[in-house]
Every structure is written in C-alpha cells, then in structure tokens.
Amino acid sequence: MTAIEVPEVDYTEYSNRQLVLVPLAVLVLAIVVIGGWYAVTGAPATLGLEFTGGVELRIADDGSGDVEERIETTFDREPDSIRAIPADDVYVVTFRAGDDDPDGLASDLEEQADAADLETEAIDQVSASFATDTARTAVFGIGLAFLGMSVLVFALFRTFVPSIAVVASAFSDLVIPVAAMNLLGIEMTLGIVAALLMIIGYSVDSDILLNNSVLRRTGEFYESVNRAMRTGVTMTVTSIAAMVVMAIVATVFGIGLLRDIGIILTIGLCADLMNTYLLNVALLRWYKFEGVKR
Amino acid sequence: MFEPIKENWRVLLLVVVVLGATVALFAPQFAPQTAPGESQGDATQGVTNLQYGLDLAGGTRVRAPLLGYTATNVEFDGENPSQVASDVAAELDETSARDVSAVQTTEEGGEVEVTDSSVSEEEFRAAMDASGYAYDGIRSGVTQESRDAAEQVIQDKINEAGLSGGSVQQVQSVTGEYFLLIEVPGQGRQDVIDLLEERGTVQIAIAYPDSSAEDGTAVEENVLIQDDFEDIGTASRQEGGPGAYVPVSVVNEAPEGEQSPAHRFQDAAVEYEVASASGGARCDYDMDADALGEGSDSCLLLVVDGEVVNAFGMEDGLARSMAEGSWADSGNFRLTTTSFSDAQTISINLRAGALPAELDISGQGTSSTISASQGENFRLYSAITGVFAVFAVAGMVFLRYREPKVALPMIVTALAEVYALLGFAALVGYPLELAVIAGFIAVVGTGVDDLVIIADEVMSEGEVNSRTVFDSRFRRAFWVIGAAAATTIVAMSPLMVLSLGDLSGFAIFTILGVLIGVLVTRPAYGDILRRLLTIR
C-alpha cells in the first residue's frame, strides 16, 4: 500500500511575476468586493444580529405542519428571516432592531409566541447600542491579534522580505474569507470573528514552516520548498477536512457558531494554500536569488 | 532501574496528565460544589464532573449596564459626602435624595452619581453646575461602589429567589463601559428579567384625607424604607382570605438622641390617623385613581418601585397598641399584599436590598435564553460534530501515511490532548459551552498539524538509525512547532480578555490546548515515534 503523496510542483517553469499574479488578483478582487459592500451597505460585510441588534427566537416545530405559516402571521412585526432546522425540529426567526426604540421587544415577541401556542426554545436579544460596541470590540480584537502576530513573525525571522511575505499572506487569508462571506450571503457573527482570529493562528503555521525550511535549513531552494510543501499541504488539507465536516454536521444540527467557524476556516485555509505556495514562495525565491545580492 | 524512566519521561508525563484528567473527571472529590438547597445529584450533570454552560444546559444570560451618570473628580470643598449629595439632589426636580450619592475617593473630593433613570446627562450637568461644586466631567454609568453593591444585591436576589447556580460578575467593554453579566441556569427569560429589571425599592407611605388636594388625598412618603426592616419572614398566605403577607419587624433601636424607625412609624400612624385609641383605620383606596375613596380613613400604602401595590388599614388591636405607644417595643408588623406572588417579590426585595441603580436590559443590554431541552440537544449535537471532525482528521492522516505506526499514535495523542483539556475543565469547574467545544475542535486541528510536522521531519532524509539523528531532527521540528504555537497564542489572547460574547472560553481552551500540546503531548509523540522508528 502506498501513501498518498503531495504532488511536487516544478516552480522553475514559472516566473515570480506569474506566481504572484493569481494571489494578487484574488486579493484585489476580494478588496474590491469588500470596498463595494462598504460603499453600498455602509458595512464591510453583512452584519449578523450580534452586530446590528435585534431578537432571535428558536421556535419548536410541534409537528402540526403549519408552524411556518403561523410564525409569519403571529407577530405584529414581520420577521426578517425564518430558517428551518429540520434535524433539531426548530425554526430560527430573526427580527432586526428597528429604528423605533425596541424597548421590551423580546418580551413582546415572547408573549405573542406564547399567545399563539408557539413554543420558544431560545431567545436572544441584543440591543442596538450594545451591538455597536461589540462590532468595535471585534474590529479592535482582530487588529490587535494581527499586529501581535506580525510583531512575532518579524521577531522570529529578523529579515524583512520573508517576514512581510508571511504577514501579507496572512492578511490575504483574512480578507478573502470576508469577501467570500459577502458573496455567499453569510452574515458576520461572533463565531466568524473567532474563526478569523483562528485563521491568523492557523495560516501562519504553513508559512513559518516554509520560511524555516528555506531560510534556516541547508539544501537547495526547490528541494527545501518541496519538503516544506509536503508537510504543509498535508497539514492544511487535514484541517480543511476537519472544518468541512464540522461545517456540514453543524449546519444539519443548526449550531450556528460551529457552522460559521467551519465555513470560514475552510475558505481561509484554501486561500492559505494559494497564498503560501504561490505568493510566499515567489517572494522567498526573489529574496533568495535576487534580494540577498543587493 | 531509573534508566527506563529517564528514557521515557515524556511519555510518562503524558500518562500522568491523562490519569490526572481521569481523576478530575470522575472522582467524586472533584464533583461540582452544591448550591444551597441543591442535592449532589442535581449539581453533578451526567456521569462526569463536567459542568455545562447555558447553551449546553439551558438557562438565561443577561448582560446590561447600570443606568446613571457620574461626575468625576468633584471637589467637595470640605463638605461631607452626604451634604454634597443632598446639595446636588436639591438642584434636580423630582429626584429623591436617595437617587443621588457622593463617594469620597481622595482628600479633596470624589465622585457624585445620579441613579434616577429619568435624569438626562444635560440635566445632571446643569444640576452639578448649579450646585457650585467643581468637577472634571460626566460619564455614563455609576460608581465602582454602586456596581459592587449591585453585584451583591443581584447575587442575593438570585439566591433568595432559589435560583440555584446563578452567577453575577462585572465585565468591562473596550470603550470602558461596565456591564453586569448575570447567568442563571435552568431559568426562563421572563422570570430572570422580572427579578432584575425592577430595582426592588420597598417603602411604606401613608395616604390621608386632605380637603385642599384636588383628589382629596395627600401622601406622606417614606414613612418606612427598606433599611428600616429587619427579620424579614417568608411570604405567607392569609388565613381564610385571598391575600398574603410578609412578616417583618421594624428596627426599634436608634443611636442616642435619634428616634428609631419603629417609634417614628408609630408616631406617624397616630398623627395621620391610621391608628387611634378607638381602633384602626378602615381603608378604601382606589388603585386606578391612586386616591382614597369617598369617606375613607387614612391608608398605609405599600409602594414597590414607585408603584402602589397594596393599600390597607389597620387592625384594631394593633392600632390601640400604637396609640398607647407600646407597639414600638416589639416592632412586629405584617406587610399585606393582594396576591401571594407580590408577597414573594417583596420578601426577596427586602432580603436582598434594592439595586442602587436600574439595570438597562432592553435599552443597552443583551439577553439570551435557551430551554433545557434545546441545551441538551446542543450537547449531543456538538459532541457528534466533534466526533465527526476527529474522524475526518483521522481519515486524512491514514490516507496520507498508510502506516498505522505513524498515524495511530498521532490520533491517540491528539485525543489525549482533548481529554486532558476536559479534565482541566472539570478540575477548575469551567462550564462547557459551544464556544469551548469549538476550541476543542481547533485544538485537534492544530495538534494534528504539529504531529504531522514532527512525523515528516523525523522520517525525512532516510532512515532513523540512531538516537542522535532522531533527536536532532526532532529539535528542528520543534522550532517550527514552537513558533506556530506562539503565533496561535498571540492571535487568541485578545479574545481571552475582550468581552465578546462567550468567545473567551474558546480562546482560553485553544491557548490551553496549544500549551498542553507543546509542553506535554507533542514531546511524548516524539518519544513514541522514536521507539517505533529507531532501528536498533
């Protein structure tokens, strides 16, 4: 029985310019999507309940078959979304915080649901001012984590080009999933913030491995890259497999937090494969063959 | 004899950690502590000592700020704090002096806060300016003292209401605003909010006929206030009637030269003709109009959070003892209510005390509730999700290496890492939540990543034919692992301290997992691999 091998790429066939082209094009595209989103909606992504404020109810499906219609007619405000989770027999109903003061909105909705004999399994209420605060905290947290990671990477390698290659690829790994979220219609939630922070931690692993192999180990450049790639691709693909499975299973069971983390990490790790083995390799090759001579 | 131990200490350390985790998970000594009135069986959920957080067990979480404004760095000009407070209160119409307080923090002065939710920032600023005390600025929120007091009061309220396992803590947002975070397992949203949203101030007022007033009623406020009551009994049903009551005694001792609350109340009852030598008042109070009915005697009003919840007259026997002046010797009294649930609320409020300020749950807070059945479902589903994720990782590792000698220990060590983390959670009593489960899955992910690095590094460049070769390759692999672990820790640490929902649990367990991995499990995997691969 032979083990599955990571295919070796013959990098000599491509110029640095060619290698960098694809990841840069994707990055620019992602930034355009996010910028466009910001220009049109006023936020870089579709914000979820935790960042806009509002109420989310989980209503049990009692098996009568008409729960969805009843949900539509029960409340004196129209729900912004109704999502069925068949595996858990519940409907997730969300109401965004209105411009009118939502004082006591959650209690009203709970009463209305009770009056219509709908059983509420869970209620989440987030006030608008708290949501703004959460958004600011989240942006601050991601910025801080990114900054800390950058400082650490520079401290580890102490050379500019390889360090900036890691930081640039981590930046792209963050931006691409956010753009993809917008295109796929996934809302920004706290789970996604956690996932983005995890991408900062995860995606740097394969970059560090690559840099270490090329810079700190003896051996010819292409041999070092291929050695790092064999390990790095195994690592990343293993993580992707875990995240895809987690995303699918959590979607079936309606566990939003785990689903969000799974989806975003899958996208982020795919982006990382591209960024590490195209962008980072090209920058390292330039540094090794041309940058050092200067 | 010690040679084998020295040789394999890394593996032995892992075994010790796993055994320790087993003890923490299953030994009854580490079982969760029981709340008052809770049996050991209720406190322990399931066969392990693990505790489950709200989203896996059901319950309600509320996070909200205390409403109020605080003037900072106020110069007291040598006055005592209570004088300062009453000076400021005097500038605010319709705000009782009890809603303004001053706290001395330095020699020169301190902070002044207003906790009346109807006072706006501008009004408070105007009042501060008018009072003539110099101050730096006004911020929203209340003083540290009030927050601490509120935390204590809420904890007492939760305990008094018999909601076992409830917890209260203060959290601060990035913008510096303070929130109270209240978690009550197993309770519905409305019950918790009803308990918290009201400040729970209780007072007795006397309504008496006054021909000059428009509705013929005048009210003497604050005849008795919260602090005047002691020995608060439990709510009891009225014998042979629909009503209920809370037995209390009114404090009848006072410092020299002052009148005790009981004597003050006795005098007031006589003065406003609730009690006289011939008997007690017959009360006829119109709750809707908030006024005495036609021809009614004076009434005692039970006022909770500014609302009259009941009005009552006085029994003849009690009235006579008041008129004689002998009642104050015992001070026993019954606060009667129209319903048993009102009596319960009042009993809880009196025992726990009043919140120093109102919790703003609907305006600036968040709340979330999960039913117990939903929580149990989540517990099962997240376990299934985790198991599937582990299978996916295991499958990939087998596909890649096709060598059980390499792959099997890899999966076993990764699982040992999660097991050790579960043991830690049980040991410190950290409640498991969905976010923590996500952290476990992240740990399996990073853990296996690092084991792949070790395996690939050790097996590269031909056979491992001596211990020295193995060790040097292992050390090289460890540099990458250490660097990767450091970046993960740096990336996760902001989440650990920022108050972002329950994500701090996710960060804490990811970081812990990475630490256990680097310090214990990955070196052990290296040792196992060495034994299996080294050609002797």
Side-chain angles (χ1 to χ4, degrees), chain B residues 171-238:
Chain B
V171 291
Q172 194 180 14
S173 72
V174 212
T175 45
E177 218 179 327
Y178 284 93
F179 291 86
L180 286 177
L181 175 63
I182 300 126
E183 297 189 322
V184 186
Q187 283 297 316
R189 181 176 181 279
Q190 210 52 55
D191 295 342
V192 175
I193 288 185
D194 284 349
L195 187 68
L196 298 176
E197 210 166 31
E198 302 291 307
R199 283 177 67 180
T201 56
V202 177
Q203 60 143 314
I204 294 280
I206 296 178
Y208 57 94
D210 179 1
S211 51
S212 61
E214 204 175 298
D215 54 2
T217 306
V219 176
E220 174 70 9
E221 298 268 3
N222 296 330
V223 178
L224 285 174
I225 59 170
Q226 209 116 358
D227 296 341
D228 297 340
F229 297 105
E230 61 181 5
D231 299 334
I232 294 124
T234 48
S236 316
R237 288 180 203 280
Q238 201 82 263

Coordinates of all heavy atoms in Angstrom, one line a residue, chain B residues 171-238:
Chain B
V171 N -18.2 43.0 33.9 CA -17.3 42.9 32.8 C -17.2 44.3 32.2 O -18.1 45.2 32.3 CB -17.8 42.0 31.7 CG1 -17.7 40.5 32.2 CG2 -19.2 42.3 31.3
Q172 N -16.0 44.6 31.6 CA -15.8 45.9 31.0 C -15.6 45.8 29.5 O -14.9 44.9 29.0 CB -14.5 46.5 31.6 CG -14.4 48.0 31.3 CD -13.2 48.6 31.9 OE1 -12.3 47.9 32.4 NE2 -13.1 49.9 32.0
S173 N -16.2 46.7 28.7 CA -16.1 46.6 27.3 C -14.8 47.5 26.9 O -14.3 48.2 27.7 CB -17.3 47.2 26.6 OG -17.3 48.6 26.8
V174 N -14.4 47.4 25.6 CA -13.3 48.2 25.2 C -13.5 49.6 25.4 O -12.5 50.4 25.6 CB -13.0 48.0 23.6 CG1 -11.6 48.1 23.3 CG2 -13.7 46.8 23.1
T175 N -14.7 50.1 25.3 CA -14.9 51.5 25.4 C -14.9 51.9 26.9 O -15.2 53.1 27.2 CB -16.3 51.9 24.8 OG1 -17.2 50.9 25.2 CG2 -16.2 51.9 23.3
G176 N -14.7 51.0 27.7 CA -14.5 51.3 29.2 C -15.8 51.3 29.9 O -15.9 51.5 31.1
E177 N -16.9 50.9 29.2 CA -18.2 50.9 29.9 C -18.3 49.6 30.7 O -17.8 48.5 30.3 CB -19.3 50.9 28.9 CG -20.5 51.7 29.4 CD -21.6 51.8 28.3 OE1 -21.3 51.8 27.1 OE2 -22.8 51.8 28.7
Y178 N -18.9 49.6 31.9 CA -19.1 48.4 32.7 C -20.4 47.8 32.5 O -21.4 48.5 32.4 CB -18.9 48.8 34.2 CG -17.5 49.0 34.5 CD1 -16.9 50.3 34.5 CD2 -16.6 47.9 34.9 CE1 -15.6 50.5 34.9 CE2 -15.3 48.2 35.2 CZ -14.8 49.4 35.2 OH -13.5 49.6 35.6
F179 N -20.4 46.5 32.4 CA -21.7 45.7 32.4 C -21.7 44.7 33.5 O -20.7 44.3 34.0 CB -21.8 45.0 31.0 CG -21.9 45.8 29.8 CD1 -20.8 46.4 29.2 CD2 -23.2 46.1 29.3 CE1 -20.9 47.2 28.1 CE2 -23.3 46.9 28.2 CZ -22.2 47.5 27.6
L180 N -22.9 44.4 33.9 CA -23.1 43.3 34.8 C -23.5 42.1 34.0 O -24.4 42.2 33.1 CB -24.1 43.6 35.9 CG -23.7 44.6 37.0 CD1 -24.9 44.8 37.9 CD2 -22.5 44.0 37.7
L181 N -22.8 41.0 34.2 CA -23.1 39.8 33.4 C -23.8 38.8 34.4 O -23.2 38.4 35.4 CB -21.9 39.2 32.8 CG -22.0 37.8 32.1 CD1 -22.9 38.0 30.9 CD2 -20.6 37.4 31.7
I182 N -25.0 38.4 34.2 CA -25.8 37.6 35.1 C -26.1 36.3 34.4 O -26.7 36.4 33.3 CB -27.1 38.3 35.6 CG1 -26.7 39.6 36.3 CG2 -27.9 37.4 36.5 CD1 -27.4 40.8 35.8
E183 N -25.8 35.2 35.0 CA -26.2 33.9 34.3 C -27.0 33.1 35.3 O -26.5 32.9 36.4 CB -24.9 33.1 33.9 CG -24.1 33.9 32.9 CD -23.0 33.1 32.3 OE1 -22.3 32.3 33.1 OE2 -22.7 33.2 31.1
V184 N -28.1 32.6 34.9 CA -29.0 31.8 35.7 C -29.3 30.5 35.0 O -30.1 30.6 34.0 CB -30.2 32.5 36.1 CG1 -31.0 31.7 37.1 CG2 -29.9 33.9 36.7
P185 N -28.7 29.4 35.3 CA -29.0 28.1 34.6 C -30.5 27.7 34.9 O -31.0 27.9 36.0 CB -28.1 27.1 35.3 CG -27.1 27.9 36.1 CD -27.8 29.2 36.4
G186 N -31.0 27.1 33.9 CA -32.3 26.5 34.0 C -33.5 27.4 34.2 O -34.6 27.0 34.7
Q187 N -33.4 28.7 34.0 CA -34.5 29.6 34.2 C -34.9 30.3 32.9 O -34.0 30.6 32.1 CB -34.2 30.7 35.2 CG -34.2 30.2 36.6 CD -35.6 29.8 37.1 OE1 -36.6 30.4 36.8 NE2 -35.6 28.6 37.8
G188 N -36.2 30.5 32.7 CA -36.7 31.2 31.6 C -36.3 32.7 31.6 O -36.0 33.2 32.7
R189 N -36.4 33.3 30.5 CA -36.0 34.7 30.3 C -36.8 35.7 31.2 O -36.3 36.5 31.9 CB -36.2 35.1 28.9 CG -35.8 36.5 28.6 CD -35.8 36.8 27.1 NE -35.4 38.1 26.8 CZ -36.2 39.1 27.0 NH1 -37.5 39.0 27.3 NH2 -35.8 40.3 26.8
Q190 N -38.2 35.5 31.1 CA -39.0 36.5 31.8 C -38.9 36.4 33.3 O -38.9 37.5 33.9 CB -40.5 36.2 31.4 CG -41.4 37.4 31.4 CD -40.8 38.5 30.5 OE1 -40.5 38.3 29.3 NE2 -40.6 39.7 31.1
D191 N -38.7 35.2 33.8 CA -38.5 35.1 35.3 C -37.3 35.9 35.7 O -37.3 36.6 36.7 CB -38.3 33.7 35.7 CG -39.6 32.9 35.4 OD1 -40.6 33.5 35.3 OD2 -39.5 31.6 35.4
V192 N -36.2 35.7 35.0 CA -34.9 36.4 35.4 C -35.1 37.9 35.2 O -34.7 38.7 36.1 CB -33.8 35.8 34.5 CG1 -32.5 36.6 34.9 CG2 -33.6 34.4 34.8
I193 N -35.7 38.3 34.1 CA -35.7 39.8 33.8 C -36.7 40.4 34.8 O -36.4 41.5 35.3 CB -36.2 40.0 32.4 CG1 -35.0 39.6 31.5 CG2 -36.6 41.4 32.2 CD1 -35.1 39.9 30.1
D194 N -37.8 39.7 35.2 CA -38.7 40.3 36.2 C -37.9 40.5 37.5 O -38.1 41.5 38.2 CB -39.8 39.4 36.5 CG -40.9 39.4 35.3 OD1 -40.7 40.3 34.5 OD2 -41.7 38.5 35.3
L195 N -37.0 39.6 37.8 CA -36.3 39.7 39.0 C -35.3 40.9 39.0 O -35.0 41.5 40.0 CB -35.5 38.4 39.3 CG -34.8 38.2 40.6 CD1 -35.8 38.1 41.7 CD2 -34.0 36.9 40.6
L196 N -34.7 41.1 37.8 CA -33.6 42.1 37.7 C -34.0 43.5 37.3 O -33.4 44.4 37.7 CB -32.6 41.6 36.7 CG -31.9 40.2 37.0 CD1 -31.0 39.9 35.8 CD2 -31.1 40.3 38.3
E197 N -35.0 43.6 36.5 CA -35.3 44.8 35.8 C -35.8 45.9 36.8 O -35.6 47.0 36.7 CB -36.3 44.7 34.7 CG -36.0 45.7 33.6 CD -36.7 45.3 32.3 OE1 -37.8 44.7 32.4 OE2 -36.2 45.7 31.2
E198 N -36.5 45.4 37.9 CA -37.0 46.3 38.9 C -35.9 46.5 39.9 O -35.2 45.6 40.2 CB -38.3 45.7 39.5 CG -39.4 45.4 38.6 CD -40.0 46.7 38.0 OE1 -40.4 47.5 38.8 OE2 -40.1 46.8 36.8
R199 N -35.8 47.7 40.4 CA -34.8 48.0 41.4 C -35.1 47.3 42.7 O -34.3 47.0 43.5 CB -34.6 49.5 41.6 CG -33.8 50.1 40.5 CD -33.7 51.6 40.7 NE -32.9 51.9 41.8 CZ -32.7 53.2 42.2 NH1 -33.2 54.2 41.5 NH2 -32.0 53.5 43.3
G200 N -36.5 47.2 42.9 CA -36.8 46.5 44.2 C -36.8 47.4 45.4 O -36.6 46.9 46.5
T201 N -37.1 48.7 45.2 CA -37.2 49.5 46.4 C -38.6 49.3 47.0 O -39.6 49.2 46.3 CB -37.1 51.0 46.0 OG1 -38.1 51.3 45.1 CG2 -35.7 51.3 45.5
V202 N -38.6 49.1 48.3 CA -39.9 48.9 49.0 C -40.0 50.0 50.0 O -39.1 50.3 50.8 CB -39.9 47.5 49.7 CG1 -41.1 47.3 50.5 CG2 -39.7 46.4 48.7
Q203 N -41.1 50.7 50.1 CA -41.4 51.6 51.2 C -42.8 51.6 51.6 O -43.7 51.1 50.9 CB -41.0 53.0 50.7 CG -41.7 53.5 49.5 CD -42.0 55.0 49.6 OE1 -42.5 55.5 50.6 NE2 -41.8 55.7 48.5
I204 N -43.1 52.1 52.8 CA -44.4 52.3 53.3 C -44.7 53.8 53.3 O -43.9 54.6 53.8 CB -44.6 51.7 54.7 CG1 -44.4 50.2 54.7 CG2 -45.9 52.1 55.3 CD1 -45.6 49.4 54.3
A205 N -45.8 54.2 52.7 CA -46.3 55.6 52.7 C -47.7 55.6 53.4 O -48.3 54.6 53.5 CB -46.3 56.1 51.3
I206 N -48.1 56.8 53.8 CA -49.4 56.9 54.3 C -50.2 57.9 53.5 O -49.8 59.0 53.3 CB -49.4 57.4 55.8 CG1 -48.6 56.3 56.7 CG2 -50.8 57.6 56.3 CD1 -48.5 56.8 58.1
A207 N -51.4 57.4 53.0 CA -52.3 58.3 52.3 C -53.3 58.8 53.3 O -53.9 58.0 54.0 CB -52.9 57.6 51.2
Y208 N -53.5 60.1 53.4 CA -54.5 60.6 54.4 C -55.4 61.7 53.7 O -55.0 62.3 52.7 CB -53.9 61.2 55.6 CG -52.8 62.3 55.3 CD1 -53.2 63.7 55.4 CD2 -51.5 62.0 55.0 CE1 -52.3 64.6 55.1 CE2 -50.6 63.0 54.7 CZ -51.0 64.3 54.8 OH -50.1 65.3 54.5
P209 N -56.6 61.8 54.2 CA -57.6 62.7 53.6 C -57.1 64.2 53.7 O -56.6 64.5 54.8 CB -58.9 62.5 54.3 CG -58.7 61.3 55.1 CD -57.2 61.1 55.3
D210 N -57.2 64.9 52.6 CA -56.7 66.3 52.7 C -57.7 67.1 51.8 O -57.7 66.9 50.6 CB -55.3 66.4 52.1 CG -54.8 67.8 52.1 OD1 -55.5 68.7 52.5 OD2 -53.6 68.0 51.7
S211 N -58.5 67.9 52.4 CA -59.6 68.6 51.6 C -59.0 69.6 50.7 O -59.6 69.9 49.7 CB -60.5 69.3 52.6 OG -59.8 70.0 53.5
S212 N -57.8 70.1 50.9 CA -57.2 71.1 50.0 C -56.7 70.5 48.7 O -56.5 71.1 47.7 CB -56.1 71.9 50.6 OG -55.1 71.0 51.0
A213 N -56.4 69.1 48.7 CA -55.9 68.5 47.5 C -57.0 68.2 46.5 O -58.2 68.1 46.9 CB -55.2 67.2 47.8
E214 N -56.6 68.1 45.2 CA -57.6 68.0 44.1 C -58.5 66.7 44.3 O -59.7 66.7 44.2 CB -56.9 68.0 42.8 CG -57.8 68.4 41.6 CD -57.0 68.5 40.4 OE1 -56.0 69.4 40.3 OE2 -57.3 67.8 39.4
D215 N -57.7 65.6 44.5 CA -58.5 64.3 44.7 C -58.7 64.0 46.1 O -59.0 62.9 46.5 CB -57.7 63.2 44.0 CG -56.3 63.1 44.4 OD1 -55.9 63.9 45.3 OD2 -55.5 62.2 43.9
G216 N -58.5 65.0 47.0 CA -58.8 64.8 48.4 C -57.9 63.9 49.1 O -58.2 63.3 50.2
T217 N -56.7 63.7 48.5 CA -55.7 62.8 49.1 C -54.3 63.4 49.2 O -53.9 64.0 48.3 CB -55.6 61.5 48.3 OG1 -56.9 60.9 48.1 CG2 -54.7 60.5 49.0
A218 N -53.7 63.3 50.3 CA -52.3 63.7 50.4 C -51.5 62.5 50.9 O -52.1 61.5 51.5 CB -52.1 64.8 51.5
V219 N -50.2 62.4 50.5 CA -49.4 61.2 50.8 C -48.1 61.6 51.5 O -47.4 62.5 51.1 CB -49.0 60.5 49.5 CG1 -48.1 59.3 49.8 CG2 -50.3 60.0 48.8
E220 N -47.9 61.0 52.6 CA -46.6 61.1 53.3 C -45.7 60.0 52.9 O -46.0 58.8 53.2 CB -46.9 61.1 54.9 CG -45.6 61.1 55.7 CD -44.9 62.4 55.7 OE1 -45.4 63.4 55.2 OE2 -43.8 62.5 56.2
E221 N -44.7 60.4 52.1 CA -43.8 59.3 51.6 C -42.8 58.8 52.6 O -42.5 59.5 53.6 CB -43.0 59.9 50.4 CG -43.8 60.4 49.2 CD -44.0 59.3 48.2 OE1 -43.6 58.2 48.4 OE2 -44.7 59.6 47.1
N222 N -42.2 57.7 52.3 CA -41.0 57.2 53.0 C -41.2 57.1 54.5 O -40.3 57.5 55.3 CB -39.8 58.0 52.7 CG -39.4 57.9 51.3 OD1 -39.6 56.8 50.6 ND2 -38.8 58.9 50.7
V223 N -42.4 56.7 54.9 CA -42.7 56.5 56.4 C -41.8 55.4 56.9 O -41.2 55.5 58.0 CB -44.1 56.2 56.7 CG1 -44.4 56.0 58.1 CG2 -45.0 57.4 56.1
L224 N -41.7 54.4 56.1 CA -40.7 53.3 56.4 C -40.0 53.0 55.1 O -40.6 52.9 54.0 CB -41.4 52.0 56.9 CG -41.9 52.0 58.3 CD1 -42.7 50.8 58.6 CD2 -40.8 52.2 59.3
I225 N -38.7 52.9 55.1 CA -37.9 52.5 53.9 C -37.2 51.1 54.1 O -37.2 50.6 55.3 CB -36.9 53.6 53.5 CG1 -35.9 53.8 54.6 CG2 -37.6 54.9 53.1 CD1 -34.7 54.6 54.2
Q226 N -36.7 50.6 53.0 CA -36.0 49.3 53.0 C -35.2 49.0 54.3 O -35.3 48.0 54.9 CB -35.1 49.3 51.8 CG -34.9 47.9 51.3 CD -35.4 47.9 49.9 OE1 -36.0 48.9 49.4 NE2 -35.3 46.8 49.2
D227 N -34.3 50.0 54.6 CA -33.4 49.7 55.7 C -34.0 49.7 57.1 O -33.4 49.3 58.1 CB -32.3 50.8 55.7 CG -31.5 50.8 54.4 OD1 -31.5 49.7 53.8 OD2 -30.8 51.8 54.1
D228 N -35.3 50.1 57.2 CA -36.0 50.1 58.5 C -36.5 48.7 58.9 O -37.0 48.5 60.0 CB -37.2 51.1 58.4 CG -36.7 52.5 58.2 OD1 -35.5 52.8 58.4 OD2 -37.5 53.3 57.8
F229 N -36.4 47.8 57.9 CA -37.0 46.5 58.2 C -35.9 45.5 58.6 O -34.8 45.5 58.0 CB -37.7 45.9 57.0 CG -38.9 46.7 56.6 CD1 -38.9 47.5 55.5 CD2 -40.1 46.7 57.3 CE1 -39.9 48.3 55.1 CE2 -41.2 47.4 56.9 CZ -41.1 48.2 55.8
E230 N -36.2 44.6 59.5 CA -35.3 43.5 59.8 C -36.1 42.3 60.1 O -37.3 42.3 60.1 CB -34.4 43.9 61.0 CG -35.1 44.1 62.3 CD -34.2 44.5 63.4 OE1 -33.0 44.7 63.2 OE2 -34.7 44.7 64.5
D231 N -35.4 41.2 60.3 CA -36.1 39.9 60.5 C -37.2 39.6 59.5 O -38.4 39.4 59.9 CB -36.7 39.8 61.9 CG -35.6 39.9 63.0 OD1 -34.4 39.6 62.7 OD2 -35.9 40.4 64.1
I232 N -36.8 39.7 58.2 CA -37.9 39.5 57.2 C -38.3 38.1 57.1 O -37.4 37.2 56.8 CB -37.4 40.1 55.9 CG1 -37.2 41.6 56.0 CG2 -38.4 39.8 54.7 CD1 -35.9 42.1 55.7
G233 N -39.5 37.8 57.2 CA -40.0 36.4 57.2 C -40.3 36.0 55.7 O -40.1 36.8 54.8
T234 N -40.7 34.8 55.5 CA -41.1 34.3 54.2 C -42.5 34.7 53.9 O -43.3 34.8 54.8 CB -40.9 32.8 54.0 OG1 -41.5 32.2 55.1 CG2 -39.4 32.4 54.0
A235 N -42.8 34.8 52.7 CA -44.2 35.2 52.3 C -45.2 34.1 52.8 O -44.9 32.9 52.6 CB -44.3 35.3 50.8
S236 N -46.3 34.5 53.3 CA -47.2 33.5 53.8 C -48.6 33.9 53.3 O -48.9 35.0 53.1 CB -47.3 33.5 55.4 OG -46.0 33.6 55.9
R237 N -49.5 32.9 53.2 CA -50.9 33.1 52.8 C -51.7 33.6 53.9 O -51.5 33.1 55.1 CB -51.5 31.9 52.1 CG -50.9 31.6 50.8 CD -51.5 30.3 50.2 NE -50.6 29.8 49.2 CZ -50.5 30.2 47.9 NH1 -51.2 31.3 47.5 NH2 -49.6 29.7 47.1
Q238 N -52.6 34.5 53.7 CA -53.5 35.0 54.7 C -54.5 33.8 55.1 O -55.0 33.2 54.2 CB -54.3 36.1 54.1 CG -54.9 37.0 55.1 CD -53.9 38.1 55.6 OE1 -53.3 37.9 56.6 NE2 -53.8 39.1 54.9

